[in-house]
Amino acid sequence: MTAPTRILTNGKIWCGLAEGFAEALAIAGDKVLATGSAADIAAMAGPDTDIIDLEGRLAVPGLNDAHLHLHMYGKSLVQLDLRPAAGVTSVQAIVDLVAEAVKNAKPGEWILGRGYDHDKLDELRHPTRRELDAVSPENPVFLTRTCGHTTVANTLALQAGGIGHNTPDPFGGKIGRTAGELDGLLFENARAPIQAVIPLPTEEDLVDSIERGGKSLLSFGITSCMEAAIGLEVGTVELDAYLTARKANRIPVRVAGTLMGDAERNILDYAYSKGLVTGVGDDIFRIGPVKYFTDGSAGAGTAWMSKAYENDPTNFGVQCLTQEQTDALTMTAHERGYQLAPHAIGDAAIDMVLNAYEKAYAALPAPDRRHRIEHCGWHKPEDLPRMIAMGVIPAGQPSFLYFFGEGYHTILGHERPQHCYPFKTWLDSGLHPSASTDCPVTSPDPLPCIYALVTRLSDSGKPLGLDQKLTMAEALHLYTYEAAYGVHDEDRKGRLIPGQLADVAVFDTDFFTVEPKAILGARCLMTLLGGEVVYRA
């Protein structure tokens, strides 16, 4: 019998939803060899087996964030951090951070930042162009709201993008104006002219960001992720960066890479010409699905809804594609053998994607393609049977419930938030919902996600469909097995069973026995990737 290279023992090891708990885990190389009682596993040890005493701690399969932006997260770690968690709770705090950055910048150098949430600022509003102009007269400023779908720019940034008072709203976008004057806000596609003139990161910059972001993920117990938009900002250079990072062993976590296949931001031809279709790659970097955007975000009021927003009866959100465009983009990727993972949050957008899927499957049946809908925040009740019939994977973000739940009540009223992201309905219906953060939209920390899944409460205590609560085992199931299933990886990872990759996260708190609030204060103590310890607190 093969002697284990490493044993984890004297712990509470959650192996999977069906598998339950074990006391000890044996690892041979990069795979799980066996699980069982401490005595049985100890009997397998050889003279060179490394023994790790868990001291009663909880160990789970390495967590898998099913939708985040790895290189963007890595890049955000060296930009202005405007998140509420970083102490940014007012417009003045944002302005002060910009002013400080200007002191250390050369004239003309761009000031970039991300993470503010106007719903959580004291003033309950966005910063304005004029406020940014006052502290940055010689530097263009471009600040992104936490959702990633709305920005505020100062005058120099607007001028750099050719946006003036008479510039019309583009299709799929909106230019903010207050009392007839540009206020600096740009929604969805209206950001593109400025994004086109911001200095582009090089391939090496992107490799650095991938490595920086991946190392940070390991500290949260995250060993895998789906990178949700390769090619979104810098086109094919982003794909080249991932390929270069893989060759140089500079990807710290396992990545399924989603390729942009949108109307304008599209690297599909480039990837396809290299034979990079869904499934190609290895256990560190593998090609995943194809993405396009159909709408924006609910918190920003740009998710495309069939019913107007509560605070503005003229606003139904932003439709980023027509049905014809959605059909064409879907069919192109489907015919080439790609899985699909379009962004759709509002019910009108989700309905449009399902229409396109039905046409694609009718033209070319592919029973196990596992097309997804990223976010899938609000869908019509009559769309659930359509999703079940096609096996569509709803890839929702429980972190949105926690961080944005208060804002959902503000912008959509108190009834509609009770029907968003129905994880229990999805799971009970036989679908394969996954859990994720959409980082850097929110922090990659999985603990607020787990808390939201089991409580359905926001950080302010607002309820969001209490009938959709999951058990702790179900919540972890979404963060492990289901996340792997969503990219055809469930046979390789997601459970601690013999033959699967020995990816493990160890926490200082037993999620199964404490009150839910205690989960928020837990810490990851150790992370193993392929049987090797890659992080210790």
Side-chain angles (χ1 to χ4, degrees):
M1 181 182 230
T2 302
T5 51
R6 178 166 283 120
I7 285 175
L8 308 184
T9 191
N10 188 28
K12 184 175 183 178
I13 301 173
W14 185 77
C15 301
L17 184 62
E19 291 78 16
F21 296 94
E23 293 178 330
L25 168 74
I27 297 168
D30 65 347
K31 302 288 197 311
V32 174
L33 180 62
T35 61
S37 69
D40 287 346
I41 298 300
M44 300 173 64
D48 299 321
T49 299
D50 177 42
I51 308 295
I52 295 178
D53 186 349
L54 296 176
E55 300 178 347
R57 305 299 192 189
L58 175 69
V60 302
L63 300 182
N64 186 339
D65 192 307
H67 179 120
L68 60 69
H69 303 271
L70 178 58
H71 63 283
M72 290 184 193
Y73 173 54
K75 187 172 67 172
S76 76
L77 293 174
V78 293
Q79 294 180 348
L80 294 183
D81 186 355
L82 308 179
R83 295 174 301 125
V88 181
T89 58
S90 69
V91 169
Q92 189 58 51
I94 294 173
V95 172
D96 290 345
L97 284 171
V98 172
E100 186 64 28
V102 167
K103 291 179 184 177
N104 301 311
K106 300 174 183 176
E109 186 176 339
W110 284 77
I111 307 297
L112 305 175
R114 178 163 185 163
Y116 81 88
D117 185 347
H118 68 290
D119 288 322
K120 294 185 177 178
L121 299 179
D122 293 341
E123 301 85 349
L124 293 176
R125 63 171 177 84
H126 301 269
T128 67
R129 170 174 71 102
R130 295 297 188 189
E131 288 169 321
L132 299 179
D133 286 348
V135 296
S136 187
E138 297 183 318
N139 297 87
V141 180
F142 196 65
L143 308 179
T144 302
R145 186 183 181 274
T146 184
C147 64
H149 291 261
T150 300
T151 57
V152 60
N154 71 348
T155 297
L156 286 180
L158 291 169
Q159 290 174 345
I163 297 173
H165 293 293
N166 297 320
T167 303
D169 289 349
F171 178 78
K174 183 168 64 176
I175 298 171
R177 293 177 171 86
T178 301
E181 179 181 86
L182 293 175
D183 56 22
L185 284 173
L186 300 168
F187 302 90
E188 305 303 337
N189 293 349
R191 301 166 298 156
I194 295 180
Q195 291 169 329
V197 296
I198 295 175
L200 299 177
T202 65
E203 182 180 305
E204 184 57 31
D205 291 335
L206 292 169
V207 171
D208 289 343
S209 295
I210 292 165
E211 187 170 42
R212 185 186 305 118
K215 287 180 178 178
S216 176
L217 294 186
L218 292 172
S219 71
F220 295 102
I222 298 168
T223 55
S224 294
C225 68
M226 189 188 83
E227 158 57 72
I230 296 175
L232 181 62
E233 294 181 328
V234 201
T236 58
V237 180
E238 295 178 24
L239 179 55
D240 290 340
Y242 273 96
L243 298 174
T244 297
R246 177 66 192 105
K247 289 179 182 176
N249 292 316
R250 293 182 63 188
I251 304 182
V253 295
R254 306 188 194 280
V255 178
T258 301
L259 308 176
M260 283 304 300
D262 216 331
E264 295 181 1
R265 297 164 293 185
N266 195 314
I267 65 169
L268 202 53
D269 288 344
Y270 179 75
Y272 191 65
S273 71
K274 293 176 170 290
L276 298 175
V277 296
T278 298
V280 169
D282 58 28
D283 284 327
I284 293 295
F285 181 68
R286 188 185 307 280
I287 300 298
V290 169
K291 181 177 187 177
Y292 54 76
F293 285 88
T294 62
D295 69 346
S297 77
T302 56
W304 182 29
M305 302 285 193
S306 61
K307 178 183 175 183
Y309 284 80
E310 188 80 5
N311 62 346
D312 181 358
T314 67
N315 180 29
F316 290 82
V318 175
Q319 179 184 0
C320 295
L321 294 172
T322 66
Q323 182 71 66
E324 291 73 20
Q325 288 174 311
T326 304
D327 292 348
L329 293 171
T330 298
M331 189 61 74
T332 296
H334 184 75
E335 288 178 339
R336 290 178 170 181
Y338 287 99
Q339 183 186 19
L340 277 145
H343 168 116
I345 291 180
D347 60 352
I350 294 166
D351 193 58
M352 185 169 69
V353 171
L354 293 175
N355 292 341
Y357 282 174
E358 285 172 340
K359 294 169 189 174
Y361 278 127
L364 183 64
D368 195 38
R369 192 64 63 84
R370 302 185 190 179
H371 291 330
R372 304 161 50 119
I373 295 181
E374 303 309 293
H375 313 301
C376 204
W378 280 263
H379 63 72
K380 301 170 185 174
E382 59 266 31
D383 280 339
L384 181 62
R386 302 172 70 195
M387 294 169 64
I388 294 170
M390 292 185 284
V392 173
I393 294 174
Q397 288 67 47
S399 62
F400 290 6
L401 302 175
Y402 182 79
F403 291 107
F404 305 150
E406 179 78 28
Y408 290 164
H409 279 260
T410 300
I411 201 167
L412 289 164
H414 297 299
E415 173 61 22
R416 290 162 75 184
Q418 309 309 318
H419 306 288
C420 69
Y421 299 97
F423 289 101
K424 181 171 177 56
T425 294
W426 290 337
L427 192 61
D428 290 349
S429 297
L431 296 174
H432 290 273
S434 54
S436 60
T437 60
D438 202 7
C439 169
V441 171
T442 68
S443 163
D445 186 353
L447 301 179
C449 291
I450 294 170
Y451 172 83
L453 285 170
V454 299
T455 67
R456 296 292 298 200
L457 297 175
S458 73
D459 56 356
S460 62
K462 278 285 181 18
L464 297 110
L466 297 180
D467 61 326
Q468 294 294 319
K469 290 180 185 178
L470 298 182
T471 67
M472 179 54 64
E474 289 170 334
L476 288 172
H477 179 67
L478 265 59
Y479 238 113
T480 53
Y481 175 88
E482 295 294 7
Y485 181 93
V487 288
H488 295 87
D489 269 347
E490 74 277 13
D491 290 335
R492 285 188 281 268
K493 58 188 177 185
R495 294 171 291 168
L496 296 177
I497 60 175
Q500 291 220 342
L501 291 163
D503 299 345
V504 186
V506 181
F507 292 91
D508 67 353
T509 301
D510 182 354
F511 302 152
F512 291 86
T513 60
V514 298
E515 289 297 313
K517 274 285 186 183
I519 297 167
L520 297 170
R523 278 197 315 151
C524 176
L525 298 179
M526 182 188 302
T527 306
L528 289 84
L529 185 80
E532 297 297 322
V533 177
V534 289
Y535 169 78
R536 287 182 187 269

